[in-house]
Amino acid sequence: MTTVEDDADRNFVMALSRGLDVLRCFRPHEQSLSNTDIAQRTGLPKPTVTRLTYTLCQLGYLVHSDSTGFYRLGAGVLQLGYGVLAGVDMADRAREVMRELAQGGPNQNVNVAFGERHRLTMVYTAVQRTTQNIALSMTVGARLPLFRSAIGRAALVAMTEAEHDRLLRDAAAEGREDMPAIRAGLKAACAEYKVQGFVTSFGAWREQINGIAVPIWSLNGDRLYAMNIGAPTFLASEAELREVYGPNLVAAARGLSDFPKRV
């Protein structure tokens, strides 16, 4: 899971990176994993994984079951997670805006979410669903692909070309076979953002999901976030998202941050 540049950076602590890779193996709705599961997901040798899981257990980030031999996330991870969420002041500021976007529009089936980039994914830090929406159940902590999702593309269009190049190299290092589509999607997102002030992902992440999104800078300009509106394709058309929700989303982003764009 580490990037191609990690081995060449003398300041990079590989052991720490591998330990975090172990914690990232746990996916939503998974209760436990074995050392074999973790080794397969990280690509690390099983003896290395065994040492890492033992250490993480000693620190309280994993809990080992003697009866099954499996591991689950411990309270230490929750403490870190809640500490991060508590410090995300922009997400707190965005909640009322998100509620108005979700409930104030004509379509009561849309979701509004707020997130921040982590490596090649976007992580939801706040989610607002309408009471009628039961078809798209994304929650806080959900991870979406950076290059394919609307919220990911929104973050990308606010970055520099140098940042694009680095992230594209990281994606290529994963051995992905969809690099031509990724590059084309990034180019299209940058173009449409210049024209309409928001980006789209109509079936690019999941065939049955439509979404639009905008980048949002923190007030001091040091952290980049993004906010999206999405729904299943059969509940929200491309035209409705573009023409009805697009202008509202752009206005909401301007209200949350007046820091000038870097690109």
Side-chain angles (χ1 to χ4, degrees):
M1 294 185 181
T2 54
T3 66
V4 292
E5 298 177 303
D6 296 341
D7 293 335
D9 189 344
R10 291 185 300 175
N11 292 322
F12 190 88
V13 182
M14 184 61 69
L16 175 59
S17 173
R18 288 174 173 173
L20 294 174
D21 282 345
V22 169
L23 296 178
R24 279 191 290 269
C25 285
F26 290 83
R27 298 168 182 168
H29 310 303
E30 283 185 333
Q31 295 290 329
S32 58
L33 295 174
S34 66
N35 278 333
T36 300
D37 295 329
I38 295 171
Q40 290 174 345
R41 293 185 182 183
T42 60
L44 295 172
K46 190 173 179 180
T48 300
V49 170
T50 300
R51 292 194 299 272
L52 290 169
T53 53
Y54 173 83
T55 302
L56 290 168
C57 283
Q58 296 302 305
L59 296 173
Y61 296 114
L62 290 180
V63 176
H64 181 255
S65 170
D66 293 332
S67 60
T68 66
F70 280 52
Y71 298 86
R72 63 175 175 82
L73 294 175
V77 174
L78 293 176
Q79 183 179 12
L80 289 175
Y82 284 120
V84 171
L85 289 176
V88 182
D89 58 339
M90 282 295 289
D92 290 335
R93 295 181 61 236
R95 282 188 174 88
E96 182 58 34
V97 173
M98 293 165 61
R99 186 177 300 108
E100 292 176 359
L101 286 170
Q103 299 178 0
N107 191 329
Q108 292 301 296
N109 296 291
V110 299
N111 277 352
V112 183
F114 190 88
E116 191 172 6
R117 183 181 72 86
H118 178 256
R119 294 195 172 189
L120 296 179
T121 64
M122 292 294 291
V123 182
Y124 280 173
T125 55
V127 176
Q128 178 65 48
R129 292 190 295 272
T130 60
T131 56
Q132 296 184 28
N133 188 352
I134 59 173
L136 188 59
S137 57
M138 303 298 287
T139 60
V140 170
R143 292 175 175 269
L144 280 71
L146 182 66
F147 288 100
R148 293 285 193 174
S149 65
I151 196 169
R153 289 174 174 176
L156 285 165
V157 299
M159 298 179 191
T160 65
E161 289 188 9
E163 289 170 319
H164 289 169
D165 291 341
R166 177 176 60 80
L167 292 168
L168 287 168
R169 288 197 302 270
D170 289 348
E174 293 185 344
R176 299 182 58 155
E177 298 180 354
D178 59 344
M179 289 305 299
I182 282 177
R183 294 179 184 277
L186 174 58
K187 183 177 180 180
C190 291
E192 67 182 356
Y193 181 64
K194 289 180 180 179
V195 173
Q196 61 193 16
F198 61 90
V199 303
T200 66
S201 176
F202 298 139
W205 167 46
R206 291 181 179 172
E207 186 177 354
Q208 70 277 21
I209 299 297
N210 284 338
I212 62 174
V214 289
I216 298 173
W217 286 100
S218 61
L219 293 178
N220 60 5
D222 65 353
R223 292 180 72 173
L224 173 62
Y225 307 90
M227 185 165 60
N228 72 353
I229 297 177
T233 54
F234 64 92
L235 294 175
S237 68
E238 296 180 18
E240 182 179 37
L241 288 174
R242 282 186 186 276
E243 298 167 12
V244 178
Y245 285 94
N248 293 340
L249 188 59
V250 172
R254 289 173 179 164
L256 284 170
S257 175
D258 58 3
F259 192 84
K261 295 181 293 184
R262 296 193 304 172
V263 293

